[in-house]
């Protein structure tokens, strides 16, 4: 079956289930995203009545694309990890030290599926700890459904593009998130920067796939990198705390 025939069948079948395609052209051009595995995962999520509308792209990243969607009129984010072009090696390195995924098979699909499950699990732990993140809703294969953070189908801006009134207050608020993530969720974000924080009234942490548990062999190194990234960015706009002091307070020791 050709790709066009596959999409026509997809459109027809999900239309029969009452799912609205809000931006069909933008879906069809993403051949590297909507492969056979992804279409199967979409079918399953639609069958579970977790998606009632699929819209256009919200963001395009190195490993995944995020599309706007709806479930019973409520906005959701549909994150699809690309199986053929995802950074397989980097994902393997993050998974290797995580006891939760020590039995994952080393195939490309196996790694991508485990990574999707890992982000769902990390978001659930962070959300339960009260850290502002997108609430995870469901996952299947390489697709993760999350709460949509935005208004009128437009996502909140990344911190680097947002209008911030008091940078000092936001800086301290994010450090509070890092503390709560560490102490209560027992996680380190591991890729925290102005690109992975959305801002609207308050900051939100996103892109939690690479977040690691505290027993990961690189957890401390990643924590230092997160703090260093925050200080690098916020030092342009406000006074920042000493990196070593932040780490020592958080982990309870004097070494960095």
């Amino acid at each position: 079956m050709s790709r066009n025939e596959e999409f026509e069948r997809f459109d027809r079948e999900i239309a029969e289930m009452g799912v609205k395609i809000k931006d069909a052209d933008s879906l069809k051009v993403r051949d590297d995203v909507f492969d056979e595995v992804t279409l199967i995962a979409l079918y399953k999520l639609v069958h579970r009545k977790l998606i009632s509308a699929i819209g256009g792209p919200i963001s395009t990243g190195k490993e995944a694309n995020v599309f706007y969607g709806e479930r019973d009129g409520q906005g959701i984010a549909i994150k699809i990890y690309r199986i053929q072009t995802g950074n397989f090696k980097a994902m393997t390195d993050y998974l290797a030290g995580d006891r939760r995924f020590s039995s994952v098979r080393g195939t490309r699909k196996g790694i991508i599926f485990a990574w999707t499950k890992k982000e769902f699990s990390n978001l659930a732990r962070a959300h339960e700890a009260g850290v502002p993140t997108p609430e995870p809703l469901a996952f299947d294969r390489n697709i993760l459904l999350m709460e949509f953070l935005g208004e009128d189908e437009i996502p909140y801006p990344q911190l680097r593009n947002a209008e911030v009134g008091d940078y000092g207050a936001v800086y301290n608020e994010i450090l509070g998130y890092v503390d709560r993530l560490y102490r209560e969720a027992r996680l380190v974000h591991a890729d925290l920067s102005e690109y992975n924080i959305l801002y609207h009234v308050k900051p939100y942490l996103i892109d939690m796939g690479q977040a690691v548990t505290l027993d990961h062999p690189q957890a401390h190194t990643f924590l230092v990198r997160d703090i260093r990234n925050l200080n690098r960015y916020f030092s342009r706009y406000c006074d920042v705390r000493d990196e070593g002091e932040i780490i020592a307070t958080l982990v309870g020791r004097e070494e960095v």
Side-chain angles (χ1 to χ4, degrees):
M1 181 180 294
S2 70
R3 181 51 54 90
N4 285 338
E5 290 173 331
E6 203 169 357
F7 273 117
E8 287 174 6
R9 186 185 70 175
F10 174 71
D11 287 353
R12 184 173 61 254
E13 291 186 5
I14 69 168
E16 289 172 358
M17 294 182 232
V19 176
K20 180 182 179 184
I21 300 292
K22 302 186 76 172
D23 193 350
D25 289 340
S26 70
L27 298 185
K28 288 181 170 61
V29 299
R30 299 303 309 178
D31 285 356
D32 61 328
V33 178
F34 289 90
D35 54 18
E36 183 178 357
V37 171
T38 302
L39 290 175
I40 290 172
L42 274 174
Y43 284 134
K44 290 176 69 68
L45 292 166
V46 167
H47 271 293
R48 291 167 60 190
K49 301 191 183 304
L50 296 172
I51 302 174
S52 57
I54 302 174
I58 296 171
S59 68
T60 301
K62 291 177 290 187
E63 279 86 32
N65 288 41
V66 183
F67 294 85
Y68 177 78
E70 291 178 359
R71 178 186 180 187
D72 300 328
Q74 287 292 110
I76 60 173
I78 305 172
K79 187 170 189 175
I80 301 176
Y81 280 100
R82 294 194 294 274
I83 294 174
Q84 297 306 319
T85 58
N87 194 334
F88 176 79
K89 175 63 168 62
M91 290 179 175
T92 302
D93 291 345
Y94 279 99
L95 287 167
D98 195 320
R99 295 180 183 179
R100 297 173 296 173
F101 301 93
S102 59
S103 62
V104 172
R105 294 178 301 137
T107 65
R108 179 173 288 277
K109 280 199 298 187
I111 294 297
I112 299 295
F113 293 175
W115 190 267
T116 307
K117 181 178 180 180
K118 182 172 183 276
E119 180 159 24
F120 179 90
S121 175
N122 288 341
L123 283 170
R125 289 173 71 148
H127 196 263
E128 185 176 343
V131 178
T133 62
E135 180 181 2
L137 303 174
F139 71 94
D140 193 286
R141 292 170 173 81
N142 61 321
I143 300 180
L144 172 64
L145 302 186
M146 302 172 286
E147 172 190 9
F148 173 67
L149 297 179
E151 295 177 350
D152 300 323
E153 303 186 19
I154 300 172
Y156 295 148
Q158 293 173 323
L159 178 63
R160 66 192 181 102
N161 296 323
E163 294 184 11
V164 177
D166 187 340
Y167 277 96
V170 173
Y171 170 69
N172 287 319
E173 195 167 12
I174 294 170
L175 287 181
Y177 295 174
V178 173
D179 184 275
R180 198 180 309 166
L181 196 65
Y182 190 93
R183 297 181 186 275
E184 298 184 31
R186 311 301 289 171
L187 291 173
V188 174
H189 186 283
D191 192 23
L192 197 57
S193 74
E194 64 272 25
Y195 292 86
N196 288 336
I197 300 171
L198 302 185
Y199 185 81
H200 177 73
V201 181
K202 66 180 180 182
Y204 298 83
L205 306 190
I206 61 169
D207 290 340
M208 295 283 293
Q210 74 293 319
V212 299
T213 51
L214 302 191
D215 58 359
H216 190 285
Q218 296 297 312
H220 186 71
T221 300
F222 293 152
L223 178 63
V224 171
R225 187 174 68 188
D226 282 351
I227 299 303
R228 192 164 292 162
N229 280 341
L230 287 176
N231 277 1
R232 170 193 51 76
Y233 179 74
F234 278 97
S235 63
R236 307 171 193 170
Y237 305 102
C238 65
D239 293 333
V240 298
R241 291 171 55 193
D242 177 74
E243 175 188 311
E245 174 196 325
I246 296 170
I247 300 297
T249 300
L250 192 58
V251 306
R253 61 173 183 251
E254 295 302 323
E255 62 182 9
V256 175

